[in-house]
């Protein structure tokens, strides 16, 4: 089933006097429960496309449709609500808050997502998620004492604690060595299955494609190929 549709999306930026077209009419859809890898050369427009899909910036033209909602016609507050409740984000660096413990990072996310759970329920939900990513034993730790792979595990738990439908990941393994990258992708692919999350992931790493269900190549702002494995 199609969960997400990007329809003829264009994005232009003003560069001084010149208007540059970064995305040149992109069409793609995300199927429920699939991991889609978005690949392409540096500067081809991958992050721009991901942030437009996630409602972090708007398209110049075209539409972004999620379930029965059209992000293109929603106002900022509606999009913020949608993002907070239905989308999760993982980036190259974990961006954990330095002065919060692992547990507090996740509780904060539940707060932002306006979770209806009571405090003790939130705490047990946080514990469950941390167990899922193998980090429950580090609940009381601050980010500074965690390894890169451990931080990324926490970042993934934080990205999915509010049970989003879609996970947007921009080079989630780029700051990790090969072994840690494999572990993180293994984890992401397991979570995609067990929690029925749909994932759009930008990657530079050929090895990570083994975990994707579909690969979309973009070149110079246009889709070059769309391959289902
Ligand atoms: N806000 C902006 N204003 C002007 N130009 C921008 C803006 N955002 C992105 N661009 C330009 O759009 C192009 C595509 O950028 P984007 O970040 O999407 O590439 P990318 O494929 O993610 O590259 P990388 O693999 O290096 O992360 C680049 O030339 C970039 O300079
Ligand atoms: Mg990028």
């Amino acid at each position: 089933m199609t969960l997400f549709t990007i329809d003829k999306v264009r994005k232009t930026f003003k560069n001084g006097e010149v208007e540059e077209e970064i995305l040149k009419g992109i069409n793609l859809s995300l199927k429920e429960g699939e991991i889609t890898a978005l690949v392409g050369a540096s500067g081809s427009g991958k992050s721009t496309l991901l942030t437009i899909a996630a409602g972090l910036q708007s398209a110049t033209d075209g539409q972004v449709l999620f379930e029965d909602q059209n992000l293109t016609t929603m106002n900022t507050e509606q999009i913020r609500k949608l993002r907070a409740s239905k989308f999760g984000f993982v980036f190259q660096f974990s961006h954990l808050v330095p002065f919060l413990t692992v547990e507090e990072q996740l509780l904060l996310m539940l707060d932002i997502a306006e979770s209806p759970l009571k405090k003790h329920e939130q705490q047990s939900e946080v514990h469950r998620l941390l167990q899922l990513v193998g980090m429950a034993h580090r609940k009381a730790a601050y980010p500074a004492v965690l390894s890169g792979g451990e931080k990324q595990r926490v970042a993934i738990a934080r990205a999915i604690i509010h049970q989003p439908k879609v996970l947007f990941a921009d080079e989630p393994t780029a700051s990790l060595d090969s072994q840690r990258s494999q572990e993180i992708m293994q984890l992401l692919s397991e979570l995609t299955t067990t929690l029925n999350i749909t994932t759009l992931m930008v990657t530079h790493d050929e090895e990570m494609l083994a975990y994707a269900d579909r690969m979309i190549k973009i070149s110079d702002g246009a889709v070059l190929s769309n391959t289902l494995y």
Side-chain angles (χ1 to χ4, degrees):
M1 202 191 87
T2 296
L3 186 73
F4 217 103
T5 305
I6 309 255
D7 183 31
K8 301 189 205 72
V9 162
R10 288 178 56 249
K11 182 73 179 176
T12 58
F13 289 112
K14 265 258 167 64
N15 202 343
E17 285 303 290
V18 243
E19 184 134 293
E20 283 193 73
E21 191 171 24
I22 301 302
L23 298 178
K24 302 173 177 168
I26 300 265
N27 297 314
L28 61 88
S29 54
L30 302 183
K31 304 275 185 274
E32 190 163 7
E34 277 189 7
I35 296 184
T36 299
L38 192 58
V39 302
S42 179
S44 56
K46 304 179 298 292
S47 296
T48 304
L49 181 59
L50 184 118
T51 50
I52 289 175
L56 290 165
Q57 63 174 330
S58 59
T60 306
D61 221 354
Q63 302 200 63
V64 179
L65 308 166
F66 167 69
E67 291 180 327
D68 54 354
Q69 305 178 76
N70 187 343
L71 270 72
T72 332
T73 57
M74 290 164 81
N75 66 33
T76 320
E77 180 55 16
Q78 288 169 322
I79 290 184
R80 189 197 66 76
K81 280 219 165 111
L82 177 67
R83 262 204 320 265
S85 61
K86 299 290 176 74
F87 298 168
F89 296 90
V90 185
F91 300 100
Q92 176 176 353
F93 298 101
S94 54
H95 299 294
L96 298 176
V97 185
F99 52 84
L100 295 181
T101 64
V102 165
E103 182 182 32
E104 287 163 350
Q105 313 269 344
L106 272 66
L107 287 170
L108 174 66
M109 267 315 286
L110 285 175
D111 232 25
I112 293 170
E114 295 170 17
S115 164
L117 299 177
K118 297 199 180 72
K119 194 75 195 171
H120 72 276
E121 293 170 330
Q122 293 192 3
Q123 279 163 343
S124 56
E125 185 58 12
V126 165
H127 188 76
R128 190 179 73 83
L129 253 286
L130 287 174
Q131 267 178 334
L132 214 55
V133 301
M135 287 298 291
H137 61 299
R138 304 298 267 146
K139 204 152 70 170
Y142 287 93
V145 303
L146 303 178
S147 73
E150 288 176 332
K151 280 186 212 157
Q152 210 56 332
R153 281 170 186 277
V154 175
I156 290 170
R158 182 183 60 176
I160 58 174
I161 179 97
H162 59 301
Q163 305 179 345
K165 299 277 288 188
V166 190
L167 183 65
F168 294 98
D170 198 344
E171 308 201 31
T173 60
S175 65
L176 305 174
D177 62 34
S178 173
Q179 171 72 25
R180 298 284 165 271
S181 297
Q182 302 276 356
E183 285 172 17
I184 289 295
M185 275 316 300
Q186 185 66 42
L187 173 64
L188 274 178
S189 102
E190 280 166 19
L191 294 173
T192 301
T193 312
T194 48
L195 307 177
N196 194 33
I197 294 175
T198 302
T199 299
L200 178 63
M201 171 186 71
V202 171
T203 185
H204 266 126
D205 190 343
E206 296 271 327
E207 283 185 52
M208 300 306 118
L209 296 176
Y211 298 92
D213 299 300
R214 178 185 299 275
M215 176 182 73
I216 295 178
K217 257 192 194 151
I218 69 168
S219 172
D220 198 19
V223 174
L224 203 62
S225 64
N226 186 331
T227 318
L228 183 65
Y229 293 122

Coordinates of all heavy atoms in Angstrom, one line a residue, residues 95-150:
H95 N 22.8 14.0 17.6 CA 22.1 15.2 18.1 C 21.4 15.0 19.4 O 20.3 15.5 19.6 CB 21.2 15.8 17.1 CG 21.8 16.3 15.8 ND1 22.7 17.3 15.8 CD2 21.7 15.8 14.6 CE1 23.1 17.4 14.5 NE2 22.5 16.5 13.8
L96 N 22.0 14.3 20.3 CA 21.4 14.1 21.7 C 21.7 15.4 22.5 O 22.7 16.1 22.2 CB 22.1 12.9 22.4 CG 21.8 11.5 21.7 CD1 22.6 10.4 22.4 CD2 20.4 11.2 21.5
V97 N 20.8 15.6 23.4 CA 20.9 16.8 24.3 C 22.0 16.5 25.3 O 21.8 15.5 26.1 CB 19.6 17.2 24.9 CG1 19.7 18.5 25.7 CG2 18.5 17.3 23.8
P98 N 23.1 17.2 25.4 CA 24.2 16.8 26.3 C 23.9 16.8 27.7 O 24.5 15.9 28.5 CB 25.3 17.9 26.0 CG 24.7 18.9 25.2 CD 23.4 18.4 24.6
F99 N 22.9 17.6 28.2 CA 22.7 17.6 29.6 C 21.5 16.8 30.1 O 21.0 16.8 31.2 CB 22.5 19.1 30.1 CG 21.5 19.8 29.3 CD1 20.1 19.8 29.6 CD2 21.9 20.6 28.3 CE1 19.2 20.5 28.9 CE2 21.0 21.4 27.5 CZ 19.6 21.3 27.8
L100 N 21.0 15.9 29.1 CA 19.9 15.0 29.5 C 20.4 13.5 29.5 O 21.2 13.2 28.6 CB 18.7 15.1 28.5 CG 18.0 16.4 28.5 CD1 16.8 16.3 27.5 CD2 17.4 16.8 29.9
T101 N 20.0 12.7 30.4 CA 20.3 11.3 30.4 C 19.6 10.6 29.2 O 18.7 11.2 28.6 CB 19.9 10.6 31.7 OG1 18.5 10.6 31.7 CG2 20.5 11.2 32.9
V102 N 20.0 9.4 28.9 CA 19.4 8.6 27.8 C 17.9 8.6 28.1 O 17.1 8.8 27.1 CB 20.1 7.2 27.8 CG1 19.2 6.3 27.0 CG2 21.5 7.3 27.3
E103 N 17.5 8.2 29.3 CA 16.1 8.1 29.6 C 15.4 9.5 29.4 O 14.3 9.5 28.8 CB 15.9 7.7 31.0 CG 14.4 7.5 31.4 CD 14.2 7.1 32.9 OE1 15.0 7.5 33.7 OE2 13.3 6.3 33.1
E104 N 16.0 10.5 29.8 CA 15.4 11.9 29.7 C 15.2 12.3 28.3 O 14.2 13.0 27.9 CB 16.2 12.9 30.5 CG 16.0 12.8 32.0 CD 17.1 13.5 32.8 OE1 18.1 13.9 32.2 OE2 16.9 13.6 34.0
Q105 N 16.1 11.9 27.4 CA 16.0 12.3 26.0 C 14.7 11.7 25.4 O 14.0 12.4 24.6 CB 17.1 11.6 25.1 CG 18.5 11.7 25.7 CD 19.3 12.9 25.2 OE1 18.9 13.5 24.2 NE2 20.4 13.2 25.9
L106 N 14.4 10.5 25.8 CA 13.2 9.8 25.3 C 11.9 10.4 25.9 O 10.9 10.5 25.2 CB 13.3 8.3 25.4 CG 14.0 7.6 24.3 CD1 15.5 7.9 24.2 CD2 13.8 6.1 24.4
L107 N 12.0 10.7 27.2 CA 10.8 11.3 27.9 C 10.5 12.6 27.3 O 9.3 12.9 27.1 CB 11.1 11.4 29.4 CG 11.1 10.1 30.2 CD1 11.6 10.3 31.6 CD2 9.7 9.5 30.2
L108 N 11.5 13.4 26.9 CA 11.3 14.7 26.3 C 10.5 14.5 25.0 O 9.6 15.3 24.7 CB 12.7 15.4 26.1 CG 12.6 16.7 25.3 CD1 11.9 17.8 26.1 CD2 14.1 17.2 25.0
M109 N 10.9 13.5 24.2 CA 10.2 13.3 22.9 C 8.7 13.0 23.1 O 7.9 13.5 22.4 CB 10.8 12.1 22.2 CG 11.9 12.5 21.2 SD 11.5 13.9 20.2 CE 10.3 13.2 19.1
L110 N 8.4 12.2 24.2 CA 7.0 11.9 24.5 C 6.3 13.2 24.8 O 5.1 13.4 24.5 CB 6.9 10.9 25.6 CG 7.3 9.5 25.2 CD1 7.3 8.6 26.4 CD2 6.3 8.9 24.1
D111 N 7.0 14.1 25.5 CA 6.4 15.4 25.9 C 6.1 16.2 24.6 O 5.0 16.7 24.5 CB 7.5 16.1 26.7 CG 6.9 16.6 28.0 OD1 5.9 16.0 28.4 OD2 7.4 17.6 28.5
I112 N 7.0 16.2 23.7 CA 6.8 17.0 22.5 C 5.7 16.4 21.7 O 4.9 17.1 21.0 CB 8.2 17.0 21.7 CG1 9.2 17.8 22.4 CG2 8.0 17.6 20.3 CD1 10.6 17.8 21.9
A113 N 5.6 15.1 21.7 CA 4.5 14.4 20.9 C 3.2 14.5 21.6 O 2.2 13.9 21.2 CB 4.9 13.0 20.6
E114 N 3.2 15.2 22.8 CA 2.0 15.3 23.6 C 1.4 14.0 23.9 O 0.2 13.7 23.7 CB 1.0 16.2 22.9 CG 1.5 17.7 22.8 CD 0.6 18.6 21.9 OE1 -0.5 18.2 21.6 OE2 1.1 19.6 21.5
S115 N 2.2 13.1 24.4 CA 1.8 11.7 24.8 C 0.7 11.7 25.8 O 0.8 12.4 26.9 CB 3.0 10.9 25.3 OG 2.6 9.8 25.9
P116 N -0.4 11.0 25.7 CA -1.4 10.9 26.7 C -1.0 10.0 27.8 O -1.8 9.9 28.8 CB -2.6 10.3 25.9 CG -2.0 9.5 24.8 CD -0.6 10.1 24.5
L117 N 0.1 9.3 27.8 CA 0.5 8.4 28.8 C 0.8 9.0 30.1 O 1.3 10.2 30.1 CB 1.7 7.6 28.4 CG 1.6 6.7 27.1 CD1 2.9 6.0 26.8 CD2 0.5 5.6 27.3
K118 N 0.5 8.3 31.2 CA 0.9 8.9 32.6 C 2.4 8.7 32.7 O 3.0 7.9 32.1 CB 0.2 8.1 33.6 CG -1.4 8.2 33.6 CD -2.0 7.8 34.9 CE -3.5 7.9 34.9 NZ -4.1 6.9 34.1
K119 N 3.0 9.4 33.7 CA 4.4 9.4 33.9 C 5.0 8.0 34.0 O 6.0 7.7 33.3 CB 4.7 10.2 35.2 CG 6.2 10.6 35.3 CD 6.6 11.7 34.4 CE 8.1 11.8 34.3 NZ 8.5 12.7 33.2
H120 N 4.4 7.2 34.8 CA 5.0 5.8 35.0 C 4.8 5.0 33.7 O 5.7 4.2 33.4 CB 4.4 5.1 36.2 CG 3.0 4.7 36.1 ND1 1.9 5.5 36.3 CD2 2.5 3.5 35.7 CE1 0.8 4.8 36.1 NE2 1.1 3.6 35.7
E121 N 3.8 5.3 33.0 CA 3.6 4.5 31.7 C 4.7 5.0 30.7 O 5.2 4.2 29.9 CB 2.2 4.8 31.1 CG 1.1 4.2 31.9 CD -0.3 4.7 31.5 OE1 -0.4 5.8 31.0 OE2 -1.3 3.9 31.7
Q122 N 4.9 6.3 30.7 CA 6.0 6.8 29.9 C 7.3 6.2 30.2 O 8.1 5.8 29.3 CB 6.1 8.4 30.0 CG 4.8 9.1 29.5 CD 5.1 10.6 29.4 OE1 6.2 11.1 29.6 NE2 4.0 11.3 29.0
Q123 N 7.6 6.1 31.5 CA 8.9 5.5 31.9 C 9.0 4.0 31.5 O 10.0 3.6 31.0 CB 9.0 5.6 33.4 CG 9.5 7.0 33.8 CD 9.4 7.3 35.3 OE1 8.6 6.6 36.0 NE2 10.1 8.3 35.8
S124 N 7.9 3.3 31.5 CA 8.0 1.9 31.1 C 8.1 1.8 29.6 O 8.7 0.9 29.0 CB 6.9 1.0 31.7 OG 5.6 1.5 31.4
E125 N 7.4 2.7 28.9 CA 7.5 2.8 27.4 C 9.0 3.1 27.0 O 9.5 2.5 26.1 CB 6.6 3.8 26.8 CG 6.5 3.9 25.3 CD 6.1 2.6 24.7 OE1 5.6 1.6 25.4 OE2 6.2 2.5 23.4
V126 N 9.6 4.0 27.7 CA 11.0 4.4 27.4 C 11.9 3.1 27.7 O 12.7 2.8 26.9 CB 11.4 5.6 28.3 CG1 13.0 5.7 28.3 CG2 10.8 6.9 27.8
H127 N 11.6 2.4 28.7 CA 12.4 1.3 29.1 C 12.3 0.2 28.0 O 13.2 -0.4 27.5 CB 12.0 0.7 30.4 CG 12.9 -0.4 30.9 ND1 14.1 -0.2 31.4 CD2 12.7 -1.8 30.8 CE1 14.7 -1.3 31.7 NE2 13.9 -2.3 31.4
R128 N 11.0 0.0 27.5 CA 10.8 -1.0 26.5 C 11.5 -0.7 25.2 O 12.2 -1.5 24.6 CB 9.3 -1.0 26.2 CG 8.8 -2.2 25.3 CD 7.3 -2.1 25.1 NE 6.9 -1.0 24.2 CZ 6.9 -1.1 22.9 NH1 7.3 -2.2 22.3 NH2 6.5 -0.1 22.1
L129 N 11.5 0.6 24.8 CA 12.2 1.0 23.6 C 13.7 0.9 23.7 O 14.4 0.4 22.8 CB 11.8 2.5 23.3 CG 10.9 2.8 22.1 CD1 11.6 2.5 20.8 CD2 9.7 1.8 22.2
L130 N 14.2 1.2 24.9 CA 15.6 1.1 25.1 C 16.1 -0.3 25.1 O 17.2 -0.7 24.6 CB 16.0 1.8 26.4 CG 16.0 3.4 26.4 CD1 16.3 4.0 27.7 CD2 17.0 3.9 25.3
Q131 N 15.2 -1.2 25.6 CA 15.5 -2.6 25.5 C 15.6 -3.1 24.1 O 16.5 -3.8 23.6 CB 14.4 -3.4 26.2 CG 14.8 -3.7 27.7 CD 13.7 -4.5 28.4 OE1 12.6 -4.4 28.1 NE2 14.1 -5.2 29.4
L132 N 14.7 -2.6 23.3 CA 14.6 -2.9 21.9 C 15.8 -2.6 21.1 O 16.3 -3.3 20.2 CB 13.4 -2.2 21.3 CG 12.5 -2.8 20.2 CD1 12.0 -4.2 20.6 CD2 11.4 -1.9 19.8
V133 N 16.4 -1.4 21.5 CA 17.7 -1.0 20.8 C 18.9 -1.4 21.6 O 20.0 -1.0 21.2 CB 17.7 0.5 20.5 CG1 16.5 0.9 19.6 CG2 17.8 1.3 21.8
G134 N 18.7 -2.2 22.6 CA 19.9 -2.7 23.4 C 20.6 -1.7 24.2 O 21.8 -1.7 24.4
M135 N 19.8 -0.7 24.7 CA 20.5 0.4 25.5 C 19.8 0.6 26.9 O 20.1 1.6 27.5 CB 20.4 1.7 24.7 CG 21.4 1.8 23.5 SD 23.1 1.7 24.0 CE 23.3 3.3 24.8
A136 N 19.0 -0.3 27.3 CA 18.3 -0.2 28.6 C 19.3 0.0 29.8 O 19.1 0.7 30.7 CB 17.4 -1.3 28.9
H137 N 20.5 -0.7 29.7 CA 21.5 -0.7 30.7 C 22.2 0.7 30.8 O 22.9 0.9 31.8 CB 22.5 -1.8 30.6 CG 23.3 -1.7 29.3 ND1 22.7 -1.7 28.0 CD2 24.6 -1.5 29.1 CE1 23.6 -1.6 27.1 NE2 24.8 -1.4 27.7
R138 N 22.0 1.5 29.8 CA 22.6 2.8 29.8 C 21.6 4.0 30.1 O 21.9 5.1 29.8 CB 23.4 3.1 28.5 CG 24.3 2.0 28.1 CD 25.5 1.9 29.1 NE 26.6 2.7 28.8 CZ 27.4 3.4 29.6 NH1 27.2 3.3 30.9 NH2 28.4 4.1 29.2
K139 N 20.5 3.6 30.6 CA 19.4 4.6 30.8 C 19.8 5.8 31.5 O 19.3 6.9 31.2 CB 18.3 3.8 31.6 CG 17.0 4.4 31.5 CD 15.9 3.3 31.8 CE 15.8 2.9 33.2 NZ 14.7 2.0 33.4
A140 N 20.7 5.7 32.5 CA 21.1 6.9 33.4 C 22.3 7.6 32.8 O 22.7 8.6 33.4 CB 21.3 6.4 34.8
A141 N 22.8 7.1 31.7 CA 24.1 7.7 31.2 C 23.8 9.0 30.4 O 22.8 9.2 29.8 CB 24.8 6.7 30.3
Y142 N 24.8 9.9 30.4 CA 24.8 11.1 29.6 C 25.5 10.8 28.3 O 26.3 9.9 28.2 CB 25.5 12.2 30.3 CG 24.6 12.8 31.5 CD1 24.8 12.3 32.8 CD2 23.6 13.7 31.2 CE1 24.0 12.8 33.8 CE2 22.9 14.2 32.3 CZ 23.1 13.7 33.6 OH 22.3 14.1 34.6
P143 N 25.1 11.5 27.2 CA 25.6 11.2 25.9 C 27.2 11.2 25.8 O 27.7 10.4 25.1 CB 25.1 12.4 25.0 CG 23.8 12.7 25.7 CD 24.0 12.5 27.1
A144 N 27.8 12.1 26.6 CA 29.3 12.2 26.5 C 30.0 10.9 26.8 O 31.1 10.7 26.3 CB 29.8 13.2 27.5
V145 N 29.4 10.0 27.6 CA 30.1 8.7 27.9 C 29.7 7.6 26.9 O 30.2 6.4 27.1 CB 29.9 8.3 29.4 CG1 30.3 9.4 30.3 CG2 28.4 7.9 29.6
L146 N 28.9 7.8 25.9 CA 28.5 6.8 25.0 C 29.3 6.8 23.8 O 29.8 7.8 23.3 CB 27.0 7.0 24.6 CG 25.9 7.0 25.7 CD1 24.6 7.3 25.1 CD2 26.0 5.7 26.5
S147 N 29.5 5.6 23.2 CA 30.2 5.5 21.9 C 29.3 6.0 20.8 O 28.1 6.2 21.0 CB 30.6 4.0 21.6 OG 29.4 3.3 21.3
G148 N 29.9 6.2 19.6 CA 29.1 6.7 18.4 C 27.9 5.8 18.1 O 26.8 6.2 17.9
G149 N 28.2 4.5 18.1 CA 27.1 3.5 17.8 C 26.0 3.5 18.9 O 24.8 3.4 18.6
E150 N 26.4 3.6 20.1 CA 25.5 3.7 21.2 C 24.6 4.9 21.1 O 23.4 4.9 21.3 CB 26.2 3.6 22.6 CG 26.8 2.3 22.9 CD 27.6 2.3 24.2 OE1 28.1 3.3 24.6 OE2 27.7 1.2 24.8

